[in-house]
Amino acid sequence: MCIHQLNLLAASNNLPITNFLGKQHPIEAHHLSSICDIMEKAMVNGDTCIIRCILVVFQVVFKFFFSPQTERNRDIVRRSGLLLWQLLMAPRDQICSEIQKEVCLAISSGLNILYPGEAEINNLLKLVLTEGERNSGLSQLRDVILTNLAEQLQNNRFGSEDDDHYRLNDELLHYILKIVVRESCVLITKCQTVSKDDFQRLLSTVPAASSCLRYLMAVQNHLLSNTILIKPDDNDDSDSSLQGETLKVQELKTSILSLATQILTGCDEVLEMLQQVTTALINSDISDREQRLKGLEQITKATMLGHLLPVLLTSLMHPNLQTLTMADALMPQLVQLVLYTSQTALLLKTQSPVFSELNSSPSGASEQKGKLLPDERMLEEKEEPGFLTGLKIPAPWAAGKTVETVHPVRDNYKFKETVHIPGARCLYLRFDNRCSSQYDYDKLVIYAGPNTNSRKVAEYGGNTLGYGSRSVLGTGWPKDLVKVEGDTVTFSFEMRSGREHNTPDKAMWGFACTVRAQESSEDVSGGLPFLVDLALGLSVLACSMLRILYNGPEITKDEETCQELLRSKLLQRCQWQVEANGVISPALTPSPSPLPLTIDEDREFTYPSDVLVPPVGHYFDLPRIRLPPGIMIKLREISGRARPQFRPSIK
């Protein structure tokens, strides 16, 4: 147990013992051979205590005291690996769960020693990912390795030496994603298949994430965060530095696109299963149907829909990822996900009256509907069905934003703050009943705008406690709501007097004010249901991607440089034809219709109405076009012809 505690202490990178152990010399091969001899003898005798202790020794040795450089060391490593695998694959009736856990920790600690090559590690991971469901030892080893890799990946910067080791290849990621999708579908299916007691126990275990899901979360966060945070080195202005950073960003975007495509595909499968289970529960006659439908949202948050999809949707809205390539690749999947989430949210919303009437009679809904006023019936009949119908959408600053000074205010104290609530028609200010200042000129001034140059609304100061100035400014500090037109209000407070010795803190309390976009917060929504929120997020991202597809490719630097030439009348007169190799070039045949002899350069050029009329004859002379001076200068520079100099004639 002392060695086990030493191993746990060594796992912390911030403790002095870690640095001490890291500086020790590697043990010799014969020492590790002796440890293997003890392990073999303990396995023959079935001494679980000795086996467990040796397994802990293996963990410490693999981490700090062994380096397989020589051939003899590699032989001892192979022997150690065979002993560990013999214990791992032993039947459950011959090995306890504690020993199996220690075996997994030992293999994970010596992963790079037992499997020195990348191919060997990939083969091991492929084995535990594909066969883990059939063997409890492999399943536990998979969880330990992926948990360790996830923790290392979270602390690792993209592009470092260990990045390729912690971030697995696409094939292994595909296996992990298949496991996560299967786990999510099984978890959702349990809402329909398990018993009532098992369903309650299931609710108490979520939303804990499995090791495979945790690793996918770590990979996703690693790629997304580095895409947003990576920046060129400010101290290195060389082209090689900028080019290196650009290559990193491109590599990141490629990895994100591949991962996002797989995650959205997996979410599509999970949402399809969710829709099936929701429909089955609604049409079922089980006794706890309402409780299962209510718990279905909590279960859904424990799947990849809750752990992966919201972070991915939010990150894809970042400008670094709003690209045409990303939109073109993800748009079909986003549309499908919007349909699944909105349809499932609508199915669950149709059961919302059931949730609010669990303790009432079954006929309560029909009785309440019969008591509706005629206007309400008309409104209900005209209301279009949808997953947002009847839901309260949270408004910005719905709960209010509090603006306040220090309490109590001090001498020479100044305070200024602006509150802006986008989209608000007016703002409502409610002051704390403790607001007070020493004198009426120690006052707060309120402006309807972003600064103190805006329109003044009101000013308040003084106190009614009998200290300092007995008078108050105007009506004193307001007890009712103060309405400010517009979406912005500015507070400016200044303590102009010095505090007198007999003035208590309550007479110099300062002020506190809550700013809201509505008169009260009683009607504020506590939040949207998870699937409704997910459907809205997917809709916003899909609309953003659709806008990118509509706008098309970004304007290149060459196009920006040639904007004036592209808008010239010279190019507008050309007929363009596509050659065999796809290159667009001006046609050699003349324009089908003669153009006007005079062109106003300040007006936009339009073709004549008879542009499609075939010309009379085989050829005609094109009229001369007056080009802008800027284009003429560029044409002279390219051709090398100077502007002709006209000399006045001498008579």
Side-chain angles (χ1 to χ4, degrees):
M1 186 56 65
C2 295
I3 299 179
H4 202 175
Q5 292 176 350
L6 179 65
N7 185 32
L8 293 176
L9 291 174
S12 176
N13 296 326
N14 299 325
L15 295 178
I17 191 173
T18 305
N19 298 328
F20 172 76
L21 293 175
K23 295 178 181 179
Q24 301 304 305
H25 296 288
I27 65 172
E28 298 180 4
H30 67 275
H31 293 307
L32 185 58
S33 179
S34 301
I35 295 175
C36 293
D37 293 338
I38 298 175
M39 172 65 81
E40 287 182 345
K41 186 175 181 181
M43 292 171 61
V44 171
N45 298 331
D47 193 336
T48 56
C49 182
I50 297 297
I51 292 175
R52 189 174 180 183
C53 291
I54 296 300
L55 289 173
V56 177
V57 172
F58 271 134
Q59 298 174 39
V60 178
V61 169
F62 287 152
K63 277 186 177 180
F64 301 103
F65 300 109
F66 194 76
S67 177
Q69 299 294 336
T70 64
E71 184 62 30
R72 184 181 180 186
N73 286 1
R74 285 191 287 270
D75 292 338
I76 298 300
V77 167
R78 283 191 289 269
R79 181 186 177 191
S80 303
L82 290 175
L83 291 174
L84 293 174
W85 271 97
Q86 186 177 350
L87 286 172
L88 183 67
M89 303 303 293
R92 291 297 302 271
D93 56 349
Q94 299 181 10
I95 183 173
C96 60
S97 59
E98 290 80 6
I99 291 182
Q100 193 175 66
K101 179 181 178 181
E102 296 296 342
V103 172
C104 295
L105 291 174
I107 295 176
S108 178
S109 301
L111 192 63
N112 295 325
I113 296 177
L114 298 172
Y115 306 92
E118 181 180 355
E120 295 185 17
I121 294 181
N122 290 339
N123 291 334
L124 170 67
L125 292 174
K126 185 176 180 179
L127 174 65
V128 299
L129 290 173
T130 54
E131 303 294 331
E133 300 299 326
R134 303 183 183 90
N135 184 280
S136 60
L138 293 178
S139 175
Q140 191 167 4
L141 178 60
R142 176 198 67 195
D143 294 342
V144 171
I145 293 177
L146 290 182
T147 300
N148 182 44
L149 291 178
E151 293 175 354
Q152 297 294 334
L153 193 59
Q154 290 174 349
N155 301 324
N156 187 49
R157 176 174 168 79
F158 180 84
S160 64
E161 296 179 356
D162 297 329
D163 181 65
D164 293 335
H165 170 64
Y166 300 136
R167 190 157 57 93
L168 305 178
N169 58 40
D170 292 340
E171 182 185 9
L172 296 177
L173 278 178
H174 180 69
Y175 285 124
I176 295 174
L177 185 63
K178 288 178 62 176
I179 295 174
V180 170
V181 172
R182 184 168 61 251
E183 290 174 346
S184 299
C185 292
V186 169
L187 196 60
I188 292 175
T189 307
K190 286 182 178 179
C191 296
Q192 177 188 359
T193 57
V194 299
S195 63
K196 183 177 181 180
D197 294 337
D198 291 339
F199 180 71
Q200 295 299 326
R201 282 191 288 269
L202 179 64
L203 289 177
S204 64
T205 60
V206 296
S210 65
S211 59
C212 293
L213 185 53
R214 286 181 60 189
Y215 181 76
L216 270 185
M217 292 164 58
V219 172
Q220 178 180 266
N221 295 340
H222 175 72
L223 294 175
L224 293 174
S225 60
N226 280 284
T227 304
I228 296 173
L229 298 178
I230 191 169
K231 295 179 180 179
D233 189 1
D234 297 335
N235 299 324
D236 188 358
D237 297 332
S238 62
D239 294 338
S240 59
S241 174
L242 297 177
Q243 183 180 5
E245 294 294 343
T246 303
L247 292 175
K248 288 182 180 180
V249 172
Q250 294 301 327
E251 183 183 350
L252 276 168
K253 289 183 179 180
T254 303
S255 300
I256 290 175
L257 179 58
S258 175
L259 181 64
T261 303
Q262 297 183 62
I263 290 177
L264 293 181
T265 303
C267 290
D268 189 8
E269 185 176 343
V270 176
L271 280 168
E272 185 178 2
M273 177 61 68
L274 177 62
Q275 192 176 46
Q276 294 175 5
V277 172
T278 303
T279 305
L281 284 175
I282 291 175
N283 297 328
S284 65
D285 55 354
I286 55 179
S287 59
D288 60 336
R289 176 172 64 94
E290 291 81 6
Q291 286 83 0
R292 290 177 187 259
L293 286 172
K294 289 185 65 175
L296 189 59
E297 179 172 317
Q298 182 180 348
I299 298 295
T300 304
K301 292 180 181 179
T303 65
M304 62 184 302
L305 298 178
H307 287 288
L308 291 175
L309 194 54
V311 177
L312 180 62
L313 298 182
T314 304
S315 301
L316 288 177
M317 291 296 297
H318 193 273
N320 289 353
L321 296 174
Q322 290 277 292
T323 62
L324 185 61
T325 304
M326 198 78 67
D328 189 36
L330 301 181
M331 193 64 194
Q333 294 171 310
L334 289 176
V335 173
Q336 186 65 35
L337 291 177
V338 169
L339 291 175
Y340 273 132
T341 52
S342 57
Q343 290 171 358
T344 310
L346 180 58
L347 282 174
L348 290 175
K349 194 186 79 65
T350 57
Q351 303 302 307
S352 57
V354 179
F355 296 159
S356 59
E357 297 167 6
L358 291 177
N359 299 325
S360 61
S361 61
S363 60
S366 59
E367 294 176 359
Q368 184 178 2
K369 185 174 181 180
K371 295 179 182 179
L372 292 177
L373 298 176
D375 294 341
E376 293 176 342
R377 289 198 193 99
M378 186 179 301
L379 179 62
E380 186 181 18
E381 292 174 358
K382 292 182 178 180
E383 191 174 24
E384 295 182 0
F387 70 94
L388 293 178
T389 304
L391 293 175
K392 298 176 182 178
I393 307 299
W397 301 109
K401 177 174 175 58
T402 301
V403 179
E404 60 182 324
T405 61
V406 297
H407 309 295
V409 292
R410 54 182 181 269
D411 294 351
N412 301 319
Y413 177 77
K414 293 183 180 181
F415 174 89
K416 180 182 177 183
E417 185 167 344
T418 299
V419 177
H420 174 60
I421 301 181
R425 297 179 180 177
C426 59
L427 302 177
Y428 295 92
L429 281 55
R430 183 177 296 279
F431 286 86
D432 194 290
N433 55 11
R434 294 170 291 179
C435 293
S436 59
S437 61
Q438 185 173 230
Y439 290 99
D440 52 6
Y441 49 82
D442 301 326
K443 60 186 177 182
L444 167 70
V445 184
I446 301 174
Y447 301 91
N451 50 54
T452 55
N453 295 326
S454 305
R455 179 178 60 87
K456 182 188 293 187
V457 176
E459 53 184 27
Y460 308 103
N463 66 83
T464 57
L465 303 174
Y467 298 94
S469 174
R470 295 180 179 273
S471 63
V472 295
L473 185 65
T475 57
W477 295 91
K479 295 180 174 55
D480 299 325
L481 285 177
V482 177
K483 183 178 179 181
V484 178
E485 297 293 337
D487 60 358
T488 307
V489 61
T490 298
F491 298 86
S492 178
F493 179 84
E494 184 176 359
M495 181 70 178
R496 298 183 179 179
S497 64
R499 179 170 180 173
E500 298 181 0
H501 66 279
N502 61 341
T503 303
D505 289 345
K506 63 180 180 180
M508 297 187 62
W509 189 79
F511 85 93
C513 176
T514 302
V515 183
R516 292 191 179 95
Q518 61 277 335
E519 294 190 41
S520 65
S521 59
E522 298 176 358
D523 219 20
V524 173
S525 169
L528 290 174
F530 173 68
L531 283 174
V532 174
D533 199 3
L534 202 59
L536 283 175
L538 284 164
S539 301
V540 172
L541 179 60
C543 291
S544 176
M545 294 296 187
L546 188 61
R547 175 182 54 82
I548 295 174
L549 291 174
Y550 179 79
N551 291 334
E554 297 182 358
I555 299 177
T556 63
K557 293 183 178 180
D558 293 337
E559 290 175 331
E560 292 179 355
T561 306
C562 300
Q563 278 296 318
E564 188 176 0
L565 184 60
L566 292 174
R567 290 194 298 264
S568 70
K569 306 300 184 292
L570 180 64
L571 294 183
Q572 291 180 8
R573 293 178 58 84
C574 293
Q575 274 188 303
W576 298 90
Q577 65 181 8
V578 181
E579 299 179 357
N581 57 359
V583 178
I584 300 177
S585 63
L588 298 178
T589 57
S591 175
S593 177
L595 300 180
L597 294 177
T598 59
I599 297 178
D600 188 357
E601 296 292 342
D602 297 331
R603 296 176 58 186
E604 184 179 358
F605 173 77
T606 56
Y607 280 101
S609 59
D610 62 342
V611 66
L612 299 179
V613 178
V616 180
H618 299 284
Y619 182 75
F620 61 92
D621 293 331
L622 291 175
R624 182 176 179 273
I625 304 175
R626 184 181 298 277
L627 298 178
I631 296 179
M632 291 300 298
I633 293 174
K634 289 184 178 179
L635 290 175
R636 290 192 185 99
E637 291 177 354
I638 295 173
S639 63
R641 299 292 297 273
R643 182 175 181 179
Q645 301 293 332
F646 296 98
R647 298 181 180 179
S649 59
I650 302 176
K651 295 183 180 179

